[in-house]
Amino acid sequence: MDKEYFNVSDIFGENVFNDAVMRERLPKKTYLKLKETIRLGAQLDLETADVIAHEMKEWAIEKGATHYSHWFQPLNGIAAEKHDSFISAPLPSGKVLMTFSGKELIKGEPDASSFPSGGLRVTFEARGYTTWDCTSPAFVRYDAAGATLVIPTAFCTFTGEALDQKTPLLRSMEALNEQALRFLRLFGNTTAKRVTPSVGVEQEYFLIDREMYNRRKDLIYTGRTLFGAMPPKGQELEDHYFGAIKERVAAYMRDVNIELWKSGVTAKTQHNEVAPAQHELAPIYEEANVAVDHNQLTMEVLKKVAGRHNMYCLLNEKPFKGVNGSGKHNNWSLVTDEGVNLFDPGKDVHENTQFQLMLIAVLTAVDKHAALLRESAADIGNDNRLGADEAPPAIISVYLGDQLSDVLDQIIESGEATHSIKSERMDTGVNVLPDFKKDAMDRNRTSPFAFTGNKFEFRMVGSRDSVGEANIVLNTILAESLADICDYVEASDNADEAIHEIMKKLATEHERIVFNGNGYSSEWVQEAARRGLPNIPSMVEAIPALVTEESIELFERFNVFSKAELESRVEIEYEFYCKRMNIEVKACIDIVRKQIVPSVISYMTKLAESINQVKAASDKADTSTAEGILVQISDNLALAKERLDVLEEMDVKAHEFIKTDEMAFFYHDEIIPVMNSIREPVDKLEMLVDKEAWPMPSYGDLLFGLY
Ligand code: ADP
Ligand code: MG
């Protein structure tokens, strides 16, 4: 179908064991049982699982599958899988049967000793268990390995402690469901049975030529460039943003879409982003757990398809210094099984008390747990992005826009809102263009947490990271504020009065989290400090938020994390930080010693020889310019080398720490500045030596090399 045109609806979901397939292939009783589990979280028995496993296997084999794989997200952020073929022990005839039992569907037992557990699993107890998550559909994946039935699973220890993002995410969804139903009952809704968070993840990425990638050791080892002088052109013209998509990239996007559509991912929007070579892909939102899995799958597909097109997809949050980095916008809303979006203000927001209270519940949650929310987006690569010019600042605040801010002010003033700012009609002044009603609020691109019509958009998550953690936090903190509100109102004799009281109280207490101005400005940093909002610039400083007293109490109250699980996550994050920093340091040393220093020395030798030749040819020739350049080169080389020696000493010192948090802070506080100080003379050297002599492709080559 390579260059043919096709109808998306013919291929959409064709590799997915979705509802239509289940309805067709499963016995009615089994189908209904499974649906009940998916919809209402009922337990699934082994007998039913056996029937499902059999049908799933038959279906997958018809699609050419030879293997099945329990697919899970361990805490290093990279999806992991273990493949087993369907074959059983040979029959007396010498043939084999293809089998797949309910037990194999439900439970996997990967040797998990090398996945991070942060001390939860003692080394001799290497077992970890993967458990089928029937709420996220299985699918068949095609690649060089052939066809594989991929089964989304949760990953836990023998005693049920979570070693992944999915388990706590599902727990947080349960907690939010319970509290949101209570909340709905306050407003007289007796019919809704389930409330689920919906998530739509906009994914940014860079695309570069594979051959150039192969010549950049820093990209290969660390995912980002450690060196690179700015090219003559960056993103200042903003001509890339929403610009026409180059043919080579368009062909890639087409294949990405086809693969995603077949796997049931609703890839919807694609465009060029602000930085050269940067692009974005967004699907249509869906139930949070599936959206998180689908984002993970999307990242895999982006990488895989790039390889087929002889390109490389960079998911690092800041692959290039000096141009925009990549993030992920986590669009989040709350929907009932009756199809009502609880974040939708409706036509007349001032009359919609239920929405107002929900809004205030969100503000309360975000204000109380700003540090925790910030932590959920903490990632080593994101440290290079957050707080830089283009990305949300590291300070959490909420953008509401004029209309909702006005309603909030009225509530603070008098306990209720009586009017709201109306949206205007858009008038272009041209008759042939249709007029339309403008949104009541404009957009604010600088806010890390913005209300955008009927959803909140959390923009802090990095492009490489799972959105799992961010959604775990969002769901749990909202569950808490809803629970507190319900506790208060349910205990009162007059619910209506109680609702207005609590609304006014919470709005007043937490209004400080609302900020509609420019989040990139330095005034905001000061203003935020004045308001007492936390400003947490780095991952190492963010991690402790996971185990503050409030966080432990919050997560334990809603059974999302135990204290031991939180402590293990802290350990894992510090460890992960140190490991990645160690790679960056080693890569830096390796590149400078083995590539840059030798190249520069041989260029200097060549330059010196040329100077001597010119001098020999004529003693009147002026070689002072060339000699000046030679001196500049030699000075910068000396500086780079001197600082590299310091880095090497510090690298040795880093490994002397026993406690990972101390080691992480050492990397952050002491080593990063030294690495940056090496980059400075190296980038100058790149501008001083002949392009041909530089041992790797330049920023210009990488960013503008795709035609
Ligand atoms: P933007 O203008 O920010 O790009 P879009 O309307 O294109 O906004 O949506 C961006 C993402 O938000 C998409 O993935 C979209 O499906 C998702 N989205 C839209 N509405 C909702 C909602 N109610 N809940 C969650 N996500 C949503
Ligand atoms: Mg957006």
Side-chain angles (χ1 to χ4, degrees):
M1 114 138 94
D2 220 20
K3 284 286 165 255
E4 283 164 25
Y5 296 97
F6 58 92
N7 184 336
V8 180
S9 61
D10 291 342
I11 62 164
F12 188 83
E14 75 174 30
N15 298 335
V16 187
F17 195 71
N18 56 21
D19 189 64
V21 178
M22 290 192 281
R23 196 194 303 256
E24 187 193 309
R25 302 190 71 124
L26 296 177
K28 187 149 187 214
K29 209 177 98 199
T30 314
Y31 172 77
L32 291 176
K33 260 199 180 149
L34 179 60
K35 284 304 276 187
E36 188 159 295
T37 303
I38 295 173
R39 249 185 4 175
L40 300 172
Q43 280 275 339
L44 200 69
D45 58 276
L46 196 59
E47 209 177 301
T48 313
D50 267 329
V51 180
I52 299 166
H54 176 77
E55 282 307 323
M56 209 187 249
K57 175 204 71 185
E58 291 297 308
W59 169 82
I61 289 174
E62 281 168 31
K63 302 194 77 65
T66 53
H67 287 69
Y68 69 91
S69 162
H70 274 200
W71 185 63
F72 57 102
Q73 294 175 36
L75 291 171
N76 55 15
I78 301 151
E81 46 195 71
K82 175 185 176 219
H83 297 205
D84 284 291
S85 81
F86 288 119
I87 64 167
S88 61
L91 301 170
S93 66
K95 294 270 183 200
V96 289
L97 283 178
M98 302 283 264
T99 60
F100 186 48
S101 68
K103 227 172 113 196
E104 287 169 304
L105 166 63
I106 287 184
K107 192 181 99 181
E109 207 176 314
D111 174 11
S113 48
S114 50
F115 291 113
S117 78
L120 272 183
R121 199 185 40 226
V122 271
T123 8
F124 61 83
E125 173 54 271
R127 270 177 301 184
Y129 293 89
T130 51
T131 317
W132 178 37
D133 169 20
C134 66
T135 63
S136 182
F139 57 96
V140 170
R141 183 180 57 202
Y142 296 87
D143 55 24
T148 307
L149 170 66
V150 181
I151 302 158
T153 57
F155 182 43
C156 298
T157 65
F158 182 68
T159 42
E161 282 122 341
L163 294 171
D164 67 347
Q165 304 290 15
K166 185 189 275 291
T167 309
L169 177 65
L170 291 171
R171 292 176 188 158
S172 75
M173 289 169 66
E174 286 297 325
L176 182 53
N177 169 53
E178 198 177 310
Q179 301 310 324
L181 285 175
R182 262 179 93 192
F183 175 85
L184 281 175
R185 305 289 182 249
L186 295 185
F187 290 89
N189 180 323
T190 54
T191 48
K193 286 201 189 61
R194 195 160 180 89
V195 179
T196 340
S198 289
V199 168
V201 188
E202 302 165 62
Q203 172 76 47
E204 293 178 338
Y205 61 95
F206 278 86
L207 214 49
I208 60 171
D209 186 79
R210 182 90 197 185
E211 190 268 331
M212 290 192 206
Y213 168 83
N214 288 340
R215 292 194 287 131
R216 291 284 315 208
K217 298 269 183 252
D218 46 3
L219 288 178
I220 292 174
Y221 292 130
T222 72
R224 72 183 185 102
T225 55
L226 299 179
F227 305 101
M230 272 307 280
K233 180 180 182 220
Q235 63 189 42
E236 58 279 75
L237 294 180
E238 304 206 324
D239 50 353
H240 187 68
Y241 193 47
F242 280 49
I245 297 170
K246 287 175 191 142
E247 284 280 293
R248 189 165 166 197
V249 175
Y252 163 81
M253 287 178 166
R254 179 184 195 270
D255 284 357
V256 166
N257 285 334
I258 291 175
E259 181 127 355
L260 289 176
W261 287 331
K262 284 185 180 176
S263 313
V265 181
T266 50
K268 167 95 176 158
T269 313
Q270 62 197 27
H271 58 79
N272 289 350
E273 259 299 327
V274 176
Q278 193 186 27
H279 310 279
E280 179 181 302
L281 183 151
I284 297 173
Y285 65 95
E286 54 196 337
E287 183 258 290
N289 174 40
V290 180
V292 172
D293 282 354
H294 277 170
N295 179 250
Q296 204 70 36
L297 179 61
T298 300
M299 291 194 282
E300 283 180 33
V301 169
L302 285 171
K303 289 232 163 222
K304 194 167 68 183
V305 176
R308 291 187 201 138
H309 285 252
N310 217 11
M311 297 191 284
Y312 195 87
C313 173
L314 295 170
L315 291 176
N316 187 284
E317 292 83 354
K318 191 79 175 179
F320 304 100
K321 196 181 159 190
V323 299
N324 278 11
S326 303
K328 241 187 261 233
H329 291 180
N330 188 81
N331 294 272
W332 174 70
S333 66
L334 207 53
V335 192
T336 71
D337 59 338
E338 296 169 325
V340 177
N341 176 357
L342 300 179
F343 291 172
D344 187 348
K347 242 180 45 227
D348 291 301
V349 58
H350 61 279
E351 285 172 5
N352 192 345
T353 315
Q354 182 182 309
F355 170 78
Q356 292 162 21
L357 187 53
M358 180 55 86
L359 176 73
I360 290 166
V362 173
L363 295 180
T364 304
V366 174
D367 187 33
K368 274 177 85 171
H369 299 288
L372 193 57
L373 195 56
R374 161 68 183 91
E375 199 289 325
S376 76
D379 195 25
I380 179 164
N382 226 9
D383 280 3
N384 299 318
R385 172 179 164 261
L386 295 181
D389 274 355
E390 89 286 353
I395 306 164
I396 298 267
S397 65
V398 183
Y399 173 81
L400 286 186
D402 293 342
Q403 190 191 48
L404 294 189
S405 295
D406 171 59
V407 166
L408 193 69
D409 286 342
Q410 293 179 53
I411 293 169
I412 291 170
E413 197 112 315
S414 64
E416 82 183 300
T418 53
H419 53 273
S420 41
I421 299 170
K422 287 280 163 250
S423 55
E424 294 160 15
R425 291 198 78 75
M426 173 92 175
D427 181 6
T428 55
V430 180
N431 283 336
V432 292
L433 296 179
D435 288 353
F436 56 86
K437 220 165 132 196
K438 281 200 281 202
D439 290 327
M441 60 176 64
D442 198 3
R443 299 220 152 208
N444 177 320
R445 303 202 144 267
T446 66
S447 176
F449 198 87
F451 184 76
T452 47
N454 59 3
K455 59 181 160 81
F456 283 95
E457 190 169 336
F458 182 44
R459 298 165 172 160
M460 224 180 223
V461 186
S463 47
R464 190 203 64 91
D465 214 358
S466 160
V467 282
E469 207 183 331
N471 286 294
I472 294 166
V473 171
L474 287 171
N475 295 339
T476 313
I477 62 179
L478 181 56
E480 183 197 57
S481 34
L482 293 178
D484 290 345
I485 288 169
C486 292
D487 286 348
Y488 183 84
V489 178
E490 284 166 4
S492 135
D493 307 332
N494 187 333
D496 203 43
E497 242 175 60
I499 284 174
H500 283 94
E501 275 162 23
I502 189 91
M503 227 162 48
K504 183 170 168 158
K505 177 171 177 290
L506 293 175
T508 312
E509 278 171 20
H510 300 289
E511 191 202 12
R512 64 173 191 162
I513 197 74
V514 177
F515 177 63
N516 293 327
N518 178 8
Y520 295 170
S521 69
S522 51
E523 292 86 57
W524 169 232
V525 176
Q526 289 161 20
E527 167 65 12
R530 204 189 51 74
R531 295 188 191 184
L533 302 178
N535 181 0
I536 308 170
S538 71
M539 174 171 176
V540 289
E541 291 154 289
I543 294 171
L546 277 173
V547 281
T548 57
E549 229 171 274
E550 305 93 83
S551 296
I552 294 171
E553 196 195 307
L554 165 81
F555 286 125
E556 291 205 321
R557 176 174 173 196
F558 295 99
N559 296 320
V560 172
F561 286 121
S562 65
K563 183 162 179 241
E565 285 173 326
L566 288 168
E567 282 166 351
S568 86
R569 265 154 220 257
V570 166
E571 181 58 25
I572 289 167
E573 292 207 14
Y574 279 130
E575 205 178 285
F576 186 55
Y577 184 89
C578 294
K579 282 183 179 162
R580 289 207 31 209
M581 273 312 301
N582 178 46
I583 295 172
E584 293 212 349
V585 170
K586 296 283 195 301
C588 175
I589 294 171
D590 190 83
I591 292 166
V592 177
R593 277 219 185 286
K594 302 215 310 244
Q595 292 190 280
I596 291 169
V597 171
S599 308
V600 173
I601 290 178
S602 65
Y603 179 72
M604 282 168 70
T605 315
K606 246 174 69 187
L607 187 57
E609 277 167 11
S610 307
I611 293 171
N612 286 338
Q613 279 168 15
V614 173
K615 276 184 174 161
S618 152
D619 49 15
K620 287 213 189 66
D622 180 3
T623 52
S624 62
T625 308
E627 279 165 31
I629 291 174
L630 195 57
V631 171
Q632 264 183 298
I633 293 176
S634 132
D635 286 352
N636 279 298
L637 185 65
L639 210 53
K641 168 69 175 56
E642 189 186 304
R643 292 172 180 176
L644 190 70
D645 292 342
V646 176
L647 183 65
E648 284 192 316
E649 276 167 35
M650 295 180 99
D651 179 36
V652 174
K653 234 171 116 186
H655 292 278
E656 286 163 9
F657 286 95
I658 293 171
K659 293 180 73 180
T660 45
D661 55 343
E662 287 171 9
M663 189 193 283
F665 274 96
F666 181 72
Y667 274 119
H668 179 263
D669 299 343
E670 309 288 334
I671 290 195
I672 289 179
V674 177
M675 280 184 66
N676 292 341
S677 78
I678 296 173
R679 180 176 184 145
E680 209 181 283
V682 169
D683 287 358
K684 280 193 189 134
L685 285 169
E686 186 184 349
M687 296 305 286
L688 287 166
V689 309
D690 187 346
K691 177 159 176 55
E692 301 304 317
W694 198 246
M696 63 191 89
S698 67
Y699 266 28
D701 299 332
L702 293 166
L703 290 169
F704 298 98
L706 272 189
Y707 285 99

